[in-house]
PDB file of all heavy atoms in Angstrom:
ATOM      1  N   GLY A   1     -72.466 -39.067  11.379  1.00 90.00           N
ATOM      2  CA  GLY A   1     -71.380 -39.924  11.661  1.00 90.00           C
ATOM      3  C   GLY A   1     -71.503 -41.383  11.329  1.00 90.00           C
ATOM      4  O   GLY A   1     -70.633 -42.235  11.813  1.00 90.00           O
ATOM      5  N   GLN A   2     -72.540 -41.718  10.538  1.00 88.00           N
ATOM      6  CA  GLN A   2     -72.719 -43.109  10.307  1.00 88.00           C
ATOM      7  C   GLN A   2     -71.624 -43.818   9.516  1.00 88.00           C
ATOM      8  O   GLN A   2     -71.237 -44.959   9.734  1.00 88.00           O
ATOM      9  CB  GLN A   2     -74.144 -43.280   9.501  1.00 88.00           C
ATOM     10  CG  GLN A   2     -75.318 -42.955  10.400  1.00 88.00           C
ATOM     11  CD  GLN A   2     -76.573 -43.045   9.658  1.00 88.00           C
ATOM     12  OE1 GLN A   2     -76.576 -43.140   8.380  1.00 88.00           O
ATOM     13  NE2 GLN A   2     -77.683 -42.939  10.311  1.00 88.00           N
ATOM     14  N   THR A   3     -71.062 -43.008   8.554  1.00 92.00           N
ATOM     15  CA  THR A   3     -69.946 -43.636   7.731  1.00 92.00           C
ATOM     16  C   THR A   3     -68.703 -43.868   8.614  1.00 92.00           C
ATOM     17  O   THR A   3     -67.938 -44.934   8.531  1.00 92.00           O
ATOM     18  CB  THR A   3     -69.616 -42.770   6.540  1.00 92.00           C
ATOM     19  OG1 THR A   3     -70.849 -42.568   5.761  1.00 92.00           O
ATOM     20  CG2 THR A   3     -68.553 -43.388   5.691  1.00 92.00           C
ATOM     21  N   LEU A   4     -68.436 -42.898   9.486  1.00 93.00           N
ATOM     22  CA  LEU A   4     -67.295 -42.975  10.407  1.00 93.00           C
ATOM     23  C   LEU A   4     -67.452 -44.112  11.315  1.00 93.00           C
ATOM     24  O   LEU A   4     -66.531 -44.890  11.669  1.00 93.00           O
ATOM     25  CB  LEU A   4     -67.117 -41.684  11.108  1.00 93.00           C
ATOM     26  CG  LEU A   4     -65.797 -41.394  11.838  1.00 93.00           C
ATOM     27  CD1 LEU A   4     -64.670 -41.347  10.807  1.00 93.00           C
ATOM     28  CD2 LEU A   4     -65.789 -40.170  12.638  1.00 93.00           C
ATOM     29  N   ASP A   5     -68.648 -44.323  11.851  1.00 91.00           N
ATOM     30  CA  ASP A   5     -68.946 -45.398  12.804  1.00 91.00           C
ATOM     31  C   ASP A   5     -68.798 -46.711  12.034  1.00 91.00           C
ATOM     32  O   ASP A   5     -68.220 -47.731  12.622  1.00 91.00           O
ATOM     33  CB  ASP A   5     -70.370 -45.350  13.333  1.00 91.00           C
ATOM     34  CG  ASP A   5     -70.556 -44.203  14.317  1.00 91.00           C
ATOM     35  OD1 ASP A   5     -69.500 -43.742  14.826  1.00 91.00           O
ATOM     36  OD2 ASP A   5     -71.743 -43.751  14.460  1.00 91.00           O
ATOM     37  N   ALA A   6     -69.251 -46.876  10.824  1.00 91.00           N
ATOM     38  CA  ALA A   6     -69.098 -48.087  10.050  1.00 91.00           C
ATOM     39  C   ALA A   6     -67.648 -48.405   9.763  1.00 91.00           C
ATOM     40  O   ALA A   6     -67.138 -49.565   9.850  1.00 91.00           O
ATOM     41  CB  ALA A   6     -69.863 -47.958   8.717  1.00 91.00           C
ATOM     42  N   LEU A   7     -66.851 -47.401   9.465  1.00 94.00           N
ATOM     43  CA  LEU A   7     -65.467 -47.567   9.201  1.00 94.00           C
ATOM     44  C   LEU A   7     -64.757 -47.980  10.479  1.00 94.00           C
ATOM     45  O   LEU A   7     -63.858 -48.904  10.493  1.00 94.00           O
ATOM     46  CB  LEU A   7     -64.849 -46.149   8.756  1.00 94.00           C
ATOM     47  CG  LEU A   7     -63.364 -46.170   8.436  1.00 94.00           C
ATOM     48  CD1 LEU A   7     -63.086 -47.103   7.282  1.00 94.00           C
ATOM     49  CD2 LEU A   7     -62.918 -44.712   8.071  1.00 94.00           C
ATOM     50  N   GLN A   8     -65.148 -47.420  11.682  1.00 93.00           N
ATOM     51  CA  GLN A   8     -64.529 -47.895  12.947  1.00 93.00           C
ATOM     52  C   GLN A   8     -64.878 -49.341  13.205  1.00 93.00           C
ATOM     53  O   GLN A   8     -64.009 -50.047  13.746  1.00 93.00           O
ATOM     54  CB  GLN A   8     -65.106 -46.914  13.977  1.00 93.00           C
ATOM     55  CG  GLN A   8     -64.584 -47.180  15.443  1.00 93.00           C
ATOM     56  CD  GLN A   8     -64.948 -46.149  16.400  1.00 93.00           C
ATOM     57  OE1 GLN A   8     -64.392 -45.025  16.397  1.00 93.00           O
ATOM     58  NE2 GLN A   8     -65.930 -46.382  17.265  1.00 93.00           N
ATOM     59  N   TYR A   9     -66.082 -49.774  12.995  1.00 92.00           N
ATOM     60  CA  TYR A   9     -66.532 -51.104  13.264  1.00 92.00           C
ATOM     61  C   TYR A   9     -65.870 -52.061  12.424  1.00 92.00           C
ATOM     62  O   TYR A   9     -65.340 -53.154  12.903  1.00 92.00           O
ATOM     63  CB  TYR A   9     -68.133 -51.160  13.051  1.00 92.00           C
ATOM     64  CG  TYR A   9     -68.653 -52.549  13.267  1.00 92.00           C
ATOM     65  CD1 TYR A   9     -68.760 -53.143  14.440  1.00 92.00           C
ATOM     66  CD2 TYR A   9     -69.136 -53.222  12.118  1.00 92.00           C
ATOM     67  CE1 TYR A   9     -69.207 -54.432  14.599  1.00 92.00           C
ATOM     68  CE2 TYR A   9     -69.624 -54.513  12.278  1.00 92.00           C
ATOM     69  CZ  TYR A   9     -69.660 -55.147  13.525  1.00 92.00           C
ATOM     70  OH  TYR A   9     -70.165 -56.444  13.681  1.00 92.00           O
ATOM     71  N   LEU A  10     -65.667 -51.675  11.104  1.00 92.00           N
ATOM     72  CA  LEU A  10     -65.044 -52.677  10.152  1.00 92.00           C
ATOM     73  C   LEU A  10     -63.523 -52.775  10.610  1.00 92.00           C
ATOM     74  O   LEU A  10     -62.995 -53.883  10.528  1.00 92.00           O
ATOM     75  CB  LEU A  10     -65.057 -51.988   8.808  1.00 92.00           C
ATOM     76  CG  LEU A  10     -64.430 -52.758   7.657  1.00 92.00           C
ATOM     77  CD1 LEU A  10     -65.098 -54.096   7.401  1.00 92.00           C
ATOM     78  CD2 LEU A  10     -64.509 -51.938   6.333  1.00 92.00           C
ATOM     79  N   THR A  11     -62.921 -51.700  10.983  1.00 94.00           N
ATOM     80  CA  THR A  11     -61.492 -51.787  11.306  1.00 94.00           C
ATOM     81  C   THR A  11     -61.283 -52.541  12.649  1.00 94.00           C
ATOM     82  O   THR A  11     -60.382 -53.356  12.764  1.00 94.00           O
ATOM     83  CB  THR A  11     -60.963 -50.336  11.592  1.00 94.00           C
ATOM     84  OG1 THR A  11     -61.199 -49.516  10.420  1.00 94.00           O
ATOM     85  CG2 THR A  11     -59.487 -50.379  11.905  1.00 94.00           C
ATOM     86  N   SER A  12     -62.290 -52.413  13.536  1.00 93.00           N
ATOM     87  CA  SER A  12     -62.220 -53.220  14.763  1.00 93.00           C
ATOM     88  C   SER A  12     -62.260 -54.692  14.549  1.00 93.00           C
ATOM     89  O   SER A  12     -61.586 -55.491  15.133  1.00 93.00           O
ATOM     90  CB  SER A  12     -63.295 -52.794  15.727  1.00 93.00           C
ATOM     91  OG  SER A  12     -63.329 -53.531  16.920  1.00 93.00           O
ATOM     92  N   LEU A  13     -63.261 -55.082  13.656  1.00 92.00           N
ATOM     93  CA  LEU A  13     -63.437 -56.564  13.263  1.00 92.00           C
ATOM     94  C   LEU A  13     -62.116 -57.057  12.666  1.00 92.00           C
ATOM     95  O   LEU A  13     -61.614 -58.172  13.067  1.00 92.00           O
ATOM     96  CB  LEU A  13     -64.460 -56.652  12.250  1.00 92.00           C
ATOM     97  CG  LEU A  13     -66.004 -56.518  12.777  1.00 92.00           C
ATOM     98  CD1 LEU A  13     -66.927 -56.751  11.627  1.00 92.00           C
ATOM     99  CD2 LEU A  13     -66.274 -57.556  13.876  1.00 92.00           C
ATOM    100  N   THR A  14     -61.466 -56.308  11.821  1.00 91.00           N
ATOM    101  CA  THR A  14     -60.244 -56.751  11.150  1.00 91.00           C
ATOM    102  C   THR A  14     -59.097 -56.880  12.195  1.00 91.00           C
ATOM    103  O   THR A  14     -58.376 -57.825  12.145  1.00 91.00           O
ATOM    104  CB  THR A  14     -59.873 -55.757  10.035  1.00 91.00           C
ATOM    105  OG1 THR A  14     -60.946 -55.598   9.171  1.00 91.00           O
ATOM    106  CG2 THR A  14     -58.640 -56.276   9.267  1.00 91.00           C
ATOM    107  N   LEU A  15     -59.026 -55.844  13.034  1.00 92.00           N
ATOM    108  CA  LEU A  15     -57.870 -55.905  13.979  1.00 92.00           C
ATOM    109  C   LEU A  15     -57.966 -57.030  14.956  1.00 92.00           C
ATOM    110  O   LEU A  15     -56.920 -57.739  15.412  1.00 92.00           O
ATOM    111  CB  LEU A  15     -57.922 -54.594  14.764  1.00 92.00           C
ATOM    112  CG  LEU A  15     -56.771 -54.435  15.825  1.00 92.00           C
ATOM    113  CD1 LEU A  15     -55.397 -54.438  15.364  1.00 92.00           C
ATOM    114  CD2 LEU A  15     -57.058 -53.169  16.702  1.00 92.00           C
ATOM    115  N   ASN A  16     -59.181 -57.423  15.417  1.00 91.00           N
ATOM    116  CA  ASN A  16     -59.336 -58.409  16.449  1.00 91.00           C
ATOM    117  C   ASN A  16     -59.647 -59.785  15.997  1.00 91.00           C
ATOM    118  O   ASN A  16     -59.774 -60.730  16.820  1.00 91.00           O
ATOM    119  CB  ASN A  16     -60.497 -57.987  17.401  1.00 91.00           C
ATOM    120  CG  ASN A  16     -60.163 -56.739  18.275  1.00 91.00           C
ATOM    121  OD1 ASN A  16     -59.314 -56.886  19.115  1.00 91.00           O
ATOM    122  ND2 ASN A  16     -60.680 -55.615  17.873  1.00 91.00           N
ATOM    123  N   LYS A  17     -59.744 -60.060  14.673  1.00 88.00           N
ATOM    124  CA  LYS A  17     -60.081 -61.312  14.140  1.00 88.00           C
ATOM    125  C   LYS A  17     -58.962 -62.295  14.472  1.00 88.00           C
ATOM    126  O   LYS A  17     -57.752 -62.031  14.224  1.00 88.00           O
ATOM    127  CB  LYS A  17     -60.234 -61.244  12.640  1.00 88.00           C
ATOM    128  CG  LYS A  17     -60.734 -62.578  12.018  1.00 88.00           C
ATOM    129  CD  LYS A  17     -61.044 -62.448  10.520  1.00 88.00           C
ATOM    130  CE  LYS A  17     -61.566 -63.726   9.982  1.00 88.00           C
ATOM    131  NZ  LYS A  17     -61.925 -63.583   8.555  1.00 88.00           N
ATOM    132  N   GLY A  18     -59.318 -63.461  15.124  1.00 85.00           N
ATOM    133  CA  GLY A  18     -58.425 -64.495  15.456  1.00 85.00           C
ATOM    134  C   GLY A  18     -57.770 -64.338  16.754  1.00 85.00           C
ATOM    135  O   GLY A  18     -56.868 -65.131  17.151  1.00 85.00           O
ATOM    136  N   TYR A  19     -58.063 -63.244  17.476  1.00 85.00           N
ATOM    137  CA  TYR A  19     -57.379 -62.956  18.753  1.00 85.00           C
ATOM    138  C   TYR A  19     -58.371 -63.040  19.945  1.00 85.00           C
ATOM    139  O   TYR A  19     -59.549 -62.631  19.781  1.00 85.00           O
ATOM    140  CB  TYR A  19     -56.639 -61.640  18.783  1.00 85.00           C
ATOM    141  CG  TYR A  19     -55.476 -61.584  17.812  1.00 85.00           C
ATOM    142  CD1 TYR A  19     -55.565 -61.037  16.526  1.00 85.00           C
ATOM    143  CD2 TYR A  19     -54.224 -62.133  18.199  1.00 85.00           C
ATOM    144  CE1 TYR A  19     -54.521 -60.919  15.718  1.00 85.00           C
ATOM    145  CE2 TYR A  19     -53.160 -62.105  17.363  1.00 85.00           C
ATOM    146  CZ  TYR A  19     -53.319 -61.500  16.046  1.00 85.00           C
ATOM    147  OH  TYR A  19     -52.211 -61.428  15.229  1.00 85.00           O
ATOM    148  N   ASP A  20     -57.932 -63.400  21.059  1.00 84.00           N
ATOM    149  CA  ASP A  20     -58.737 -63.447  22.271  1.00 84.00           C
ATOM    150  C   ASP A  20     -58.627 -62.130  23.107  1.00 84.00           C
ATOM    151  O   ASP A  20     -59.477 -61.817  23.868  1.00 84.00           O
ATOM    152  CB  ASP A  20     -58.429 -64.644  23.177  1.00 84.00           C
ATOM    153  CG  ASP A  20     -58.722 -65.953  22.473  1.00 84.00           C
ATOM    154  OD1 ASP A  20     -59.843 -66.104  21.905  1.00 84.00           O
ATOM    155  OD2 ASP A  20     -57.840 -66.773  22.476  1.00 84.00           O
ATOM    156  N   ASP A  21     -57.526 -61.421  22.886  1.00 87.00           N
ATOM    157  CA  ASP A  21     -57.320 -60.139  23.699  1.00 87.00           C
ATOM    158  C   ASP A  21     -57.875 -59.017  22.884  1.00 87.00           C
ATOM    159  O   ASP A  21     -57.290 -58.458  22.037  1.00 87.00           O
ATOM    160  CB  ASP A  21     -55.830 -59.977  23.983  1.00 87.00           C
ATOM    161  CG  ASP A  21     -54.932 -60.003  22.796  1.00 87.00           C
ATOM    162  OD1 ASP A  21     -55.347 -60.617  21.753  1.00 87.00           O
ATOM    163  OD2 ASP A  21     -53.842 -59.420  22.801  1.00 87.00           O
ATOM    164  N   TYR A  22     -59.113 -58.582  23.151  1.00 90.00           N
ATOM    165  CA  TYR A  22     -59.804 -57.597  22.370  1.00 90.00           C
ATOM    166  C   TYR A  22     -59.081 -56.215  22.587  1.00 90.00           C
ATOM    167  O   TYR A  22     -58.861 -55.779  23.668  1.00 90.00           O
ATOM    168  CB  TYR A  22     -61.281 -57.550  22.775  1.00 90.00           C
ATOM    169  CG  TYR A  22     -62.100 -56.566  22.007  1.00 90.00           C
ATOM    170  CD1 TYR A  22     -62.527 -56.897  20.770  1.00 90.00           C
ATOM    171  CD2 TYR A  22     -62.450 -55.279  22.502  1.00 90.00           C
ATOM    172  CE1 TYR A  22     -63.337 -56.039  19.998  1.00 90.00           C
ATOM    173  CE2 TYR A  22     -63.154 -54.413  21.760  1.00 90.00           C
ATOM    174  CZ  TYR A  22     -63.674 -54.792  20.515  1.00 90.00           C
ATOM    175  OH  TYR A  22     -64.370 -53.844  19.745  1.00 90.00           O
ATOM    176  N   VAL A  23     -58.978 -55.573  21.465  1.00 93.00           N
ATOM    177  CA  VAL A  23     -58.416 -54.146  21.495  1.00 93.00           C
ATOM    178  C   VAL A  23     -59.452 -53.275  20.763  1.00 93.00           C
ATOM    179  O   VAL A  23     -59.970 -53.565  19.689  1.00 93.00           O
ATOM    180  CB  VAL A  23     -57.085 -54.099  20.749  1.00 93.00           C
ATOM    181  CG1 VAL A  23     -56.595 -52.600  20.637  1.00 93.00           C
ATOM    182  CG2 VAL A  23     -56.091 -54.966  21.387  1.00 93.00           C
ATOM    183  N   LYS A  24     -59.799 -52.175  21.484  1.00 93.00           N
ATOM    184  CA  LYS A  24     -60.735 -51.219  20.989  1.00 93.00           C
ATOM    185  C   LYS A  24     -60.138 -50.335  19.877  1.00 93.00           C
ATOM    186  O   LYS A  24     -58.924 -50.097  19.820  1.00 93.00           O
ATOM    187  CB  LYS A  24     -61.267 -50.316  22.125  1.00 93.00           C
ATOM    188  CG  LYS A  24     -62.151 -51.056  23.105  1.00 93.00           C
ATOM    189  CD  LYS A  24     -62.705 -50.126  24.175  1.00 93.00           C
ATOM    190  CE  LYS A  24     -61.617 -49.711  25.111  1.00 93.00           C
ATOM    191  NZ  LYS A  24     -62.108 -48.850  26.256  1.00 93.00           N
ATOM    192  N   VAL A  25     -60.940 -49.790  18.961  1.00 95.00           N
ATOM    193  CA  VAL A  25     -60.598 -48.911  18.000  1.00 95.00           C
ATOM    194  C   VAL A  25     -61.375 -47.627  17.950  1.00 95.00           C
ATOM    195  O   VAL A  25     -62.634 -47.745  18.058  1.00 95.00           O
ATOM    196  CB  VAL A  25     -60.677 -49.546  16.544  1.00 95.00           C
ATOM    197  CG1 VAL A  25     -60.310 -48.542  15.509  1.00 95.00           C
ATOM    198  CG2 VAL A  25     -59.743 -50.751  16.452  1.00 95.00           C
ATOM    199  N   LYS A  26     -60.743 -46.476  18.044  1.00 95.00           N
ATOM    200  CA  LYS A  26     -61.477 -45.194  17.891  1.00 95.00           C
ATOM    201  C   LYS A  26     -60.986 -44.491  16.787  1.00 95.00           C
ATOM    202  O   LYS A  26     -59.837 -44.160  16.671  1.00 95.00           O
ATOM    203  CB  LYS A  26     -61.236 -44.366  19.235  1.00 95.00           C
ATOM    204  CG  LYS A  26     -61.988 -43.091  19.205  1.00 95.00           C
ATOM    205  CD  LYS A  26     -61.668 -42.271  20.360  1.00 95.00           C
ATOM    206  CE  LYS A  26     -62.358 -40.896  20.338  1.00 95.00           C
ATOM    207  NZ  LYS A  26     -62.040 -40.006  21.624  1.00 95.00           N
ATOM    208  N   ILE A  27     -61.853 -44.169  15.774  1.00 96.00           N
ATOM    209  CA  ILE A  27     -61.451 -43.421  14.558  1.00 96.00           C
ATOM    210  C   ILE A  27     -62.191 -42.043  14.629  1.00 96.00           C
ATOM    211  O   ILE A  27     -63.387 -42.005  14.810  1.00 96.00           O
ATOM    212  CB  ILE A  27     -61.806 -44.137  13.327  1.00 96.00           C
ATOM    213  CG1 ILE A  27     -61.022 -45.491  13.298  1.00 96.00           C
ATOM    214  CG2 ILE A  27     -61.511 -43.296  12.075  1.00 96.00           C
ATOM    215  CD1 ILE A  27     -61.300 -46.353  12.020  1.00 96.00           C
ATOM    216  N   ASP A  28     -61.349 -41.014  14.510  1.00 96.00           N
ATOM    217  CA  ASP A  28     -61.927 -39.622  14.526  1.00 96.00           C
ATOM    218  C   ASP A  28     -61.326 -38.798  13.436  1.00 96.00           C
ATOM    219  O   ASP A  28     -60.316 -39.128  12.851  1.00 96.00           O
ATOM    220  CB  ASP A  28     -61.596 -38.990  15.906  1.00 96.00           C
ATOM    221  CG  ASP A  28     -62.578 -37.834  16.199  1.00 96.00           C
ATOM    222  OD1 ASP A  28     -63.515 -37.576  15.403  1.00 96.00           O
ATOM    223  OD2 ASP A  28     -62.324 -37.149  17.255  1.00 96.00           O
ATOM    224  N   THR A  29     -62.046 -37.673  13.118  1.00 95.00           N
ATOM    225  CA  THR A  29     -61.427 -36.674  12.171  1.00 95.00           C
ATOM    226  C   THR A  29     -62.102 -35.355  12.494  1.00 95.00           C
ATOM    227  O   THR A  29     -63.242 -35.214  12.857  1.00 95.00           O
ATOM    228  CB  THR A  29     -61.833 -37.078  10.713  1.00 95.00           C
ATOM    229  OG1 THR A  29     -61.404 -36.098   9.804  1.00 95.00           O
ATOM    230  CG2 THR A  29     -63.390 -37.251  10.483  1.00 95.00           C
ATOM    231  N   GLU A  30     -61.189 -34.361  12.395  1.00 93.00           N
ATOM    232  CA  GLU A  30     -61.644 -32.968  12.748  1.00 93.00           C
ATOM    233  C   GLU A  30     -62.389 -32.852  13.988  1.00 93.00           C
ATOM    234  O   GLU A  30     -63.246 -32.085  14.177  1.00 93.00           O
ATOM    235  CB  GLU A  30     -62.479 -32.483  11.500  1.00 93.00           C
ATOM    236  CG  GLU A  30     -61.713 -32.477  10.192  1.00 93.00           C
ATOM    237  CD  GLU A  30     -62.637 -32.003   9.061  1.00 93.00           C
ATOM    238  OE1 GLU A  30     -63.872 -31.993   9.253  1.00 93.00           O
ATOM    239  OE2 GLU A  30     -62.137 -31.759   7.972  1.00 93.00           O
ATOM    240  N   ASN A  31     -62.002 -33.637  15.075  1.00 95.00           N
ATOM    241  CA  ASN A  31     -62.538 -33.553  16.330  1.00 95.00           C
ATOM    242  C   ASN A  31     -64.015 -33.814  16.266  1.00 95.00           C
ATOM    243  O   ASN A  31     -64.815 -33.315  17.113  1.00 95.00           O
ATOM    244  CB  ASN A  31     -62.277 -32.261  17.008  1.00 95.00           C
ATOM    245  CG  ASN A  31     -62.351 -32.363  18.498  1.00 95.00           C
ATOM    246  OD1 ASN A  31     -62.024 -33.344  19.126  1.00 95.00           O
ATOM    247  ND2 ASN A  31     -62.741 -31.254  19.157  1.00 95.00           N
ATOM    248  N   TYR A  32     -64.535 -34.583  15.372  1.00 95.00           N
ATOM    249  CA  TYR A  32     -65.972 -34.879  15.128  1.00 95.00           C
ATOM    250  C   TYR A  32     -66.593 -35.533  16.415  1.00 95.00           C
ATOM    251  O   TYR A  32     -67.686 -35.145  16.852  1.00 95.00           O
ATOM    252  CB  TYR A  32     -66.203 -35.683  13.958  1.00 95.00           C
ATOM    253  CG  TYR A  32     -67.673 -36.101  13.806  1.00 95.00           C
ATOM    254  CD1 TYR A  32     -68.576 -35.223  13.278  1.00 95.00           C
ATOM    255  CD2 TYR A  32     -68.095 -37.371  14.249  1.00 95.00           C
ATOM    256  CE1 TYR A  32     -69.966 -35.494  13.238  1.00 95.00           C
ATOM    257  CE2 TYR A  32     -69.461 -37.717  14.147  1.00 95.00           C
ATOM    258  CZ  TYR A  32     -70.350 -36.832  13.652  1.00 95.00           C
ATOM    259  OH  TYR A  32     -71.659 -37.194  13.600  1.00 95.00           O
ATOM    260  N   ARG A  33     -65.818 -36.443  17.015  1.00 93.00           N
ATOM    261  CA  ARG A  33     -66.464 -37.188  18.174  1.00 93.00           C
ATOM    262  C   ARG A  33     -66.775 -36.294  19.326  1.00 93.00           C
ATOM    263  O   ARG A  33     -67.911 -36.340  19.860  1.00 93.00           O
ATOM    264  CB  ARG A  33     -65.521 -38.242  18.687  1.00 93.00           C
ATOM    265  CG  ARG A  33     -65.099 -39.347  17.562  1.00 93.00           C
ATOM    266  CD  ARG A  33     -66.250 -40.265  17.325  1.00 93.00           C
ATOM    267  NE  ARG A  33     -65.919 -41.303  16.369  1.00 93.00           N
ATOM    268  CZ  ARG A  33     -66.718 -42.098  15.824  1.00 93.00           C
ATOM    269  NH1 ARG A  33     -68.057 -42.003  15.974  1.00 93.00           N
ATOM    270  NH2 ARG A  33     -66.306 -43.056  15.006  1.00 93.00           N
ATOM    271  N   GLU A  34     -65.924 -35.357  19.628  1.00 95.00           N
ATOM    272  CA  GLU A  34     -66.166 -34.443  20.733  1.00 95.00           C
ATOM    273  C   GLU A  34     -67.303 -33.448  20.369  1.00 95.00           C
ATOM    274  O   GLU A  34     -68.171 -33.161  21.225  1.00 95.00           O
ATOM    275  CB  GLU A  34     -64.904 -33.682  21.082  1.00 95.00           C
ATOM    276  CG  GLU A  34     -63.946 -34.494  21.885  1.00 95.00           C
ATOM    277  CD  GLU A  34     -64.421 -34.975  23.229  1.00 95.00           C
ATOM    278  OE1 GLU A  34     -65.191 -34.203  23.887  1.00 95.00           O
ATOM    279  OE2 GLU A  34     -64.233 -36.171  23.542  1.00 95.00           O
ATOM    280  N   ARG A  35     -67.283 -33.003  19.163  1.00 95.00           N
ATOM    281  CA  ARG A  35     -68.392 -32.038  18.735  1.00 95.00           C
ATOM    282  C   ARG A  35     -69.699 -32.707  18.736  1.00 95.00           C
ATOM    283  O   ARG A  35     -70.701 -32.145  19.253  1.00 95.00           O
ATOM    284  CB  ARG A  35     -68.028 -31.450  17.318  1.00 95.00           C
ATOM    285  CG  ARG A  35     -66.806 -30.565  17.260  1.00 95.00           C
ATOM    286  CD  ARG A  35     -66.717 -29.891  15.954  1.00 95.00           C
ATOM    287  NE  ARG A  35     -66.189 -30.799  14.912  1.00 95.00           N
ATOM    288  CZ  ARG A  35     -66.895 -31.167  13.879  1.00 95.00           C
ATOM    289  NH1 ARG A  35     -68.142 -30.817  13.658  1.00 95.00           N
ATOM    290  NH2 ARG A  35     -66.335 -31.968  12.943  1.00 95.00           N
ATOM    291  N   ARG A  36     -69.745 -33.927  18.274  1.00 94.00           N
ATOM    292  CA  ARG A  36     -71.040 -34.741  18.292  1.00 94.00           C
ATOM    293  C   ARG A  36     -71.416 -35.023  19.685  1.00 94.00           C
ATOM    294  O   ARG A  36     -72.691 -34.937  20.034  1.00 94.00           O
ATOM    295  CB  ARG A  36     -70.845 -36.018  17.517  1.00 94.00           C
ATOM    296  CG  ARG A  36     -72.040 -36.938  17.432  1.00 94.00           C
ATOM    297  CD  ARG A  36     -73.217 -36.213  16.684  1.00 94.00           C
ATOM    298  NE  ARG A  36     -74.349 -37.130  16.624  1.00 94.00           N
ATOM    299  CZ  ARG A  36     -75.551 -36.732  16.216  1.00 94.00           C
ATOM    300  NH1 ARG A  36     -75.832 -35.548  15.941  1.00 94.00           N
ATOM    301  NH2 ARG A  36     -76.569 -37.606  16.103  1.00 94.00           N
ATOM    302  N   LYS A  37     -70.549 -35.337  20.549  1.00 94.00           N
ATOM    303  CA  LYS A  37     -70.870 -35.582  22.027  1.00 94.00           C
ATOM    304  C   LYS A  37     -71.517 -34.343  22.630  1.00 94.00           C
ATOM    305  O   LYS A  37     -72.570 -34.451  23.367  1.00 94.00           O
ATOM    306  CB  LYS A  37     -69.579 -35.995  22.839  1.00 94.00           C
ATOM    307  CG  LYS A  37     -69.922 -36.254  24.232  1.00 94.00           C
ATOM    308  CD  LYS A  37     -68.619 -36.640  24.909  1.00 94.00           C
ATOM    309  CE  LYS A  37     -68.869 -36.864  26.482  1.00 94.00           C
ATOM    310  NZ  LYS A  37     -67.640 -37.101  27.189  1.00 94.00           N
ATOM    311  N   ALA A  38     -70.965 -33.083  22.360  1.00 96.00           N
ATOM    312  CA  ALA A  38     -71.508 -31.884  22.866  1.00 96.00           C
ATOM    313  C   ALA A  38     -72.899 -31.662  22.380  1.00 96.00           C
ATOM    314  O   ALA A  38     -73.817 -31.269  23.145  1.00 96.00           O
ATOM    315  CB  ALA A  38     -70.589 -30.697  22.618  1.00 96.00           C
ATOM    316  N   THR A  39     -73.142 -31.982  21.147  1.00 95.00           N
ATOM    317  CA  THR A  39     -74.462 -31.785  20.519  1.00 95.00           C
ATOM    318  C   THR A  39     -75.451 -32.685  21.132  1.00 95.00           C
ATOM    319  O   THR A  39     -76.573 -32.321  21.497  1.00 95.00           O
ATOM    320  CB  THR A  39     -74.378 -32.079  18.980  1.00 95.00           C
ATOM    321  OG1 THR A  39     -73.501 -31.165  18.394  1.00 95.00           O
ATOM    322  CG2 THR A  39     -75.732 -32.009  18.368  1.00 95.00           C
TER     323      THR A  39
END
């Protein structure tokens, strides 16, 4: 999931740049996050 994590981090930086009210970003595909969590 390293590429997906990098994509999520990059998107979060872009979304929150210049703002004080931080908004989280969660990017998933094919339910990977839940499958990885169970593993």
